[in-house]
Amino acid sequence: MKLSATLRSRSDQALAFLRARILDGDLKPGALLAESAVAVDLGVSRVPIREALFALERDGLVEFSETGRAYVKDLSPHDFEELYVLRLTLEPVAARLAAAALREDPSALEKNIEATRRASSLIKVTHLDLDFHEIILEASGNARLLKLWRSSGHELELWLGRLHRSKQIQTHGTREETVSTHCDLLECFRTQPPPVCERKMREHILGWREWLPAGMPVAAHDGTKSTTNRR
Amino acid sequence: MKLSATLRSRSDQALAFLRARILDGDLKPGALLAESAVAVDLGVSRVPIREALFALERDGLVEFSETGRAYVKDLSPHDFEELYVLRLTLEPVAARLAAAALREDPSALEKNIEATRRASSLIKVTHLDLDFHEIILEASGNARLLKLWRSSGHELELWLGRLHRSKQIQTHGTREETVSTHCDLLECFRTQPPPVCERKMREHILGWREWLPAGMPVAAHDGTKSTTNRR
DNA sequence: TGAAACAAAACGGTATACCGTCTCAAGAAC
DNA sequence: GTTCTTGAGACGGTATACCGTTTTGTTTCA
C-alpha cells in the first residue's frame, strides 16, 4: 500500500485511505481493523493508525468493541432511519437560517445547478447534489449545524454505497429531476421568506425517500409511527 | 496530580480530569494544553493525554491550532447562539419521537420530578433538570440524536459555567419553576399527540432563554434575524 | 462427540525516544 | 527605539518496545 503525499500528516493519510476503502466497500462490514495489521499494510507505525481509527469512529464508519478493537461499521435499516430523521431535522432549519444570505447572493447555488446540467456522469451529478445541500448548510452561518450534517453524511454515504453495490436501489433521481427540484429550491430562496424555505426543504427531503427501495423503513414526518415508503 | 482509579484506561482518567478542570474554570479559555506538561502533571505519558485531547476537541471543550497545539476553547456569544439553535432544533424533534414511548411509560419523568422536589440544593436541581431532558432524548429511540444532544451539552455547560462564575446570570429558574414547567411537559406527554408535544417542547426551550442575561443574542425562532431577549 | 482447559499468538494500552518544526526571546542591525 | 536575525528551548508527529489482556486454535477429558 502507498499513502498519498498530498495530506499533511500520516494520520490524515491513513484516515483518507481507510475512509475510501470502507466507503468503496473494499473493507466489509464487521471486518476487524487491527492497528498492527493496518500499520504494516500502510507502512507506518501504529500511532497514526490509532488516530485515524478514532476519527473514523467519530464519523460513524468504525465502531469499537468493549475491548478496544475497531471494526468496520455494520449499518442496519434502523441506523438509516436515524440518519434520515437527522437530516430531516437539520436541513430545513439550515434552509431557514440560510434564507436571507442565499436571497442576497444565490450565485453559489446557480453555479452548482449549471455544473449539474453540464456534468458528464451520474456519479458527478450525485456529488454536485451533495454539494448543493452543503452550500445551504454553509450559508446557514451555523458551523455546528454544518459539522453535524457532515458527520452524518459519512454514514449516509456508507449506507447508500452499500445499497448501490448490492443493486438494491438507484440512490437518486435522474439529472433532470435533480436539476428541476434544485431550481425549485433556488427559486424559493430567491423569492420566499425563511419559513417557506424551511418547509420547501422539508418537502424536498421527504421527496427524496421515494428513491429508496420498497420496504425501506423511514420515519413518518408526523412522528406518530414508522412506516414504509410506497415504491 | 492524582488520577482517579475508577475509570478503565489512563486516557479516560485524563479525559475526565481535564474535562472537570475546564468546566470548573480551573483552566482558562485560551490556555495552552501542552501534551508534555499535562503528562508530567498527571504522571502518565503523552499518549493517553493525546487521546484525551482529541476527545475533548470532539466535545468542543478544546480546539487545535493549525500547528497541532491544543487550547482551552474560548466561546463567544455567537457560539452560544449556535448551540441554542441546535437544542431548539433537536429537542422538539426528540420530544415528538419520544411521545409514544413516554405516554406508555412516563415513570422515569415522574421519578425525576419527584427527585427535583426533594433535591437539597440548587445545583442538584440543575442536574436533575438536565436529566429530565436527557430522559426524553433517550426515549426518542434515536441514538444519534442523543449523541449530538450530549456533545452540544458539554459546550453549553462550559458556557453556562463561565457565565455563572462571572456572576452575570442565574443560569436557571427556581426549583418551583422547574418542577412546574416539567409537570406541564409530563402532562403533555401523557395526554397529547406527538406533534403537540413537539410544540410544547419548543415553547419550553424558548422560555428558557428568559433566564439568559439581558442582551444575550439568541436566534429568533422565526429564523428571520437574530435578536436579543428582553430581560 | 462435545465441552472444558490450556497454551500460543494476536492485539491494544502505554512508555520512551528521536526528529523536525514552531515559538519566543535575546541580541544585532538600522 | 524599532525591526530583523538567530539560536535555544518547547512542542507535536511518529517509531519502537514492553506488558497485560483477549482471542483463538488445540489438546485433553468426560
Side-chain angles (χ1 to χ4, degrees), chain B residues 120-135:
Chain B
S120 55
S121 71
L122 211 54
I123 187 74
K124 286 185 181 170
V125 170
T126 304
H127 284 147
L128 285 164
D129 188 355
L130 262 178
D131 288 347
F132 185 89
H133 287 254
E134 183 153 352
I135 289 168

mmCIF file of all heavy atoms in Angstrom, chain B residues 120-135:
data_model
loop_
_atom_site.group_PDB
_atom_site.id
_atom_site.type_symbol
_atom_site.label_atom_id
_atom_site.label_comp_id
_atom_site.label_asym_id
_atom_site.label_seq_id
_atom_site.Cartn_x
_atom_site.Cartn_y
_atom_site.Cartn_z
ATOM 1 N N SER B 120 -31.791 18.743 47.485
ATOM 2 C CA SER B 120 -31.367 19.534 48.637
ATOM 3 C C SER B 120 -30.647 20.821 48.253
ATOM 4 O O SER B 120 -30.417 21.680 49.081
ATOM 5 C CB SER B 120 -30.451 18.682 49.522
ATOM 6 O OG SER B 120 -29.370 18.181 48.753
ATOM 7 N N SER B 121 -30.252 20.916 47.008
ATOM 8 C CA SER B 121 -29.523 22.127 46.608
ATOM 9 C C SER B 121 -29.912 22.525 45.191
ATOM 10 O O SER B 121 -30.425 21.723 44.423
ATOM 11 C CB SER B 121 -28.019 21.893 46.679
ATOM 12 O OG SER B 121 -27.637 21.023 45.650
ATOM 13 N N LEU B 122 -29.622 23.778 44.878
ATOM 14 C CA LEU B 122 -29.976 24.282 43.556
ATOM 15 C C LEU B 122 -29.137 23.615 42.469
ATOM 16 O O LEU B 122 -29.594 23.410 41.337
ATOM 17 C CB LEU B 122 -29.793 25.804 43.511
ATOM 18 C CG LEU B 122 -30.755 26.537 42.574
ATOM 19 C CD1 LEU B 122 -32.193 26.187 42.911
ATOM 20 C CD2 LEU B 122 -30.537 28.029 42.645
ATOM 21 N N ILE B 123 -27.914 23.260 42.848
ATOM 22 C CA ILE B 123 -27.050 22.606 41.857
ATOM 23 C C ILE B 123 -27.633 21.244 41.476
ATOM 24 O O ILE B 123 -27.577 20.821 40.317
ATOM 25 C CB ILE B 123 -25.605 22.470 42.388
ATOM 26 C CG1 ILE B 123 -24.675 21.952 41.300
ATOM 27 C CG2 ILE B 123 -25.538 21.567 43.586
ATOM 28 C CD1 ILE B 123 -24.356 23.000 40.255
ATOM 29 N N LYS B 124 -28.216 20.568 42.476
ATOM 30 C CA LYS B 124 -28.844 19.276 42.178
ATOM 31 C C LYS B 124 -30.076 19.464 41.298
ATOM 32 O O LYS B 124 -30.378 18.640 40.432
ATOM 33 C CB LYS B 124 -29.214 18.549 43.474
ATOM 34 C CG LYS B 124 -27.987 17.986 44.185
ATOM 35 C CD LYS B 124 -28.355 17.172 45.410
ATOM 36 C CE LYS B 124 -27.081 16.673 46.086
ATOM 37 N NZ LYS B 124 -27.342 16.065 47.405
ATOM 38 N N VAL B 125 -30.800 20.533 41.539
ATOM 39 C CA VAL B 125 -31.959 20.842 40.704
ATOM 40 C C VAL B 125 -31.518 21.011 39.255
ATOM 41 O O VAL B 125 -32.138 20.490 38.323
ATOM 42 C CB VAL B 125 -32.672 22.115 41.196
ATOM 43 C CG1 VAL B 125 -33.726 22.559 40.186
ATOM 44 C CG2 VAL B 125 -33.305 21.879 42.556
ATOM 45 N N THR B 126 -30.409 21.723 39.081
ATOM 46 C CA THR B 126 -29.893 21.933 37.723
ATOM 47 C C THR B 126 -29.556 20.615 37.041
ATOM 48 O O THR B 126 -29.893 20.391 35.880
ATOM 49 C CB THR B 126 -28.632 22.824 37.775
ATOM 50 O OG1 THR B 126 -28.967 24.044 38.430
ATOM 51 C CG2 THR B 126 -28.126 23.124 36.372
ATOM 52 N N HIS B 127 -28.879 19.736 37.787
ATOM 53 C CA HIS B 127 -28.521 18.446 37.210
ATOM 54 C C HIS B 127 -29.758 17.612 36.889
ATOM 55 O O HIS B 127 -29.826 16.954 35.852
ATOM 56 C CB HIS B 127 -27.594 17.680 38.154
ATOM 57 C CG HIS B 127 -26.198 18.201 38.154
ATOM 58 N ND1 HIS B 127 -25.382 18.189 39.265
ATOM 59 C CD2 HIS B 127 -25.468 18.789 37.173
ATOM 60 C CE1 HIS B 127 -24.213 18.729 38.963
ATOM 61 N NE2 HIS B 127 -24.238 19.103 37.707
ATOM 62 N N LEU B 128 -30.745 17.647 37.770
ATOM 63 C CA LEU B 128 -31.971 16.888 37.520
ATOM 64 C C LEU B 128 -32.732 17.466 36.330
ATOM 65 O O LEU B 128 -33.393 16.735 35.580
ATOM 66 C CB LEU B 128 -32.846 16.881 38.775
ATOM 67 C CG LEU B 128 -32.336 15.943 39.870
ATOM 68 C CD1 LEU B 128 -32.996 16.250 41.211
ATOM 69 C CD2 LEU B 128 -32.588 14.488 39.494
ATOM 70 N N ASP B 129 -32.618 18.780 36.172
ATOM 71 C CA ASP B 129 -33.229 19.434 35.012
ATOM 72 C C ASP B 129 -32.631 18.865 33.732
ATOM 73 O O ASP B 129 -33.343 18.462 32.803
ATOM 74 C CB ASP B 129 -32.982 20.946 35.111
ATOM 75 C CG ASP B 129 -33.745 21.726 34.045
ATOM 76 O OD1 ASP B 129 -34.380 21.088 33.193
ATOM 77 O OD2 ASP B 129 -33.697 22.964 34.061
ATOM 78 N N LEU B 130 -31.293 18.813 33.707
ATOM 79 C CA LEU B 130 -30.606 18.222 32.550
ATOM 80 C C LEU B 130 -31.047 16.775 32.333
ATOM 81 O O LEU B 130 -31.316 16.352 31.206
ATOM 82 C CB LEU B 130 -29.097 18.266 32.764
ATOM 83 C CG LEU B 130 -28.347 19.415 32.102
ATOM 84 C CD1 LEU B 130 -26.877 19.346 32.451
ATOM 85 C CD2 LEU B 130 -28.536 19.353 30.592
ATOM 86 N N ASP B 131 -31.114 16.023 33.438
ATOM 87 C CA ASP B 131 -31.521 14.614 33.341
ATOM 88 C C ASP B 131 -32.908 14.480 32.733
ATOM 89 O O ASP B 131 -33.159 13.582 31.933
ATOM 90 C CB ASP B 131 -31.521 13.963 34.737
ATOM 91 C CG ASP B 131 -30.107 13.736 35.250
ATOM 92 O OD1 ASP B 131 -29.167 13.849 34.435
ATOM 93 O OD2 ASP B 131 -29.942 13.460 36.445
ATOM 94 N N PHE B 132 -33.787 15.382 33.120
ATOM 95 C CA PHE B 132 -35.156 15.352 32.604
ATOM 96 C C PHE B 132 -35.147 15.398 31.078
ATOM 97 O O PHE B 132 -35.809 14.610 30.399
ATOM 98 C CB PHE B 132 -35.941 16.537 33.171
ATOM 99 C CG PHE B 132 -37.412 16.544 32.811
ATOM 100 C CD1 PHE B 132 -38.334 15.889 33.617
ATOM 101 C CD2 PHE B 132 -37.863 17.197 31.680
ATOM 102 C CE1 PHE B 132 -39.693 15.891 33.300
ATOM 103 C CE2 PHE B 132 -39.215 17.215 31.349
ATOM 104 C CZ PHE B 132 -40.128 16.554 32.168
ATOM 105 N N HIS B 133 -34.358 16.307 30.567
ATOM 106 C CA HIS B 133 -34.276 16.434 29.107
ATOM 107 C C HIS B 133 -33.613 15.204 28.489
ATOM 108 O O HIS B 133 -34.010 14.736 27.424
ATOM 109 C CB HIS B 133 -33.511 17.703 28.732
ATOM 110 C CG HIS B 133 -34.299 18.949 28.976
ATOM 111 N ND1 HIS B 133 -34.854 19.698 27.977
ATOM 112 C CD2 HIS B 133 -34.657 19.570 30.129
ATOM 113 C CE1 HIS B 133 -35.502 20.732 28.486
ATOM 114 N NE2 HIS B 133 -35.392 20.676 29.801
ATOM 115 N N GLU B 134 -32.612 14.697 29.176
ATOM 116 C CA GLU B 134 -31.910 13.526 28.641
ATOM 117 C C GLU B 134 -32.836 12.312 28.569
ATOM 118 O O GLU B 134 -32.754 11.510 27.637
ATOM 119 C CB GLU B 134 -30.676 13.209 29.494
ATOM 120 C CG GLU B 134 -29.862 12.049 28.945
ATOM 121 C CD GLU B 134 -28.394 12.127 29.332
ATOM 122 O OE1 GLU B 134 -27.969 13.148 29.895
ATOM 123 O OE2 GLU B 134 -27.670 11.154 29.060
ATOM 124 N N ILE B 135 -33.712 12.183 29.543
ATOM 125 C CA ILE B 135 -34.687 11.090 29.522
ATOM 126 C C ILE B 135 -35.509 11.128 28.234
ATOM 127 O O ILE B 135 -35.759 10.111 27.597
ATOM 128 C CB ILE B 135 -35.613 11.172 30.751
ATOM 129 C CG1 ILE B 135 -34.847 10.809 32.019
ATOM 130 C CG2 ILE B 135 -36.831 10.251 30.591
ATOM 131 C CD1 ILE B 135 -35.596 11.154 33.305
#
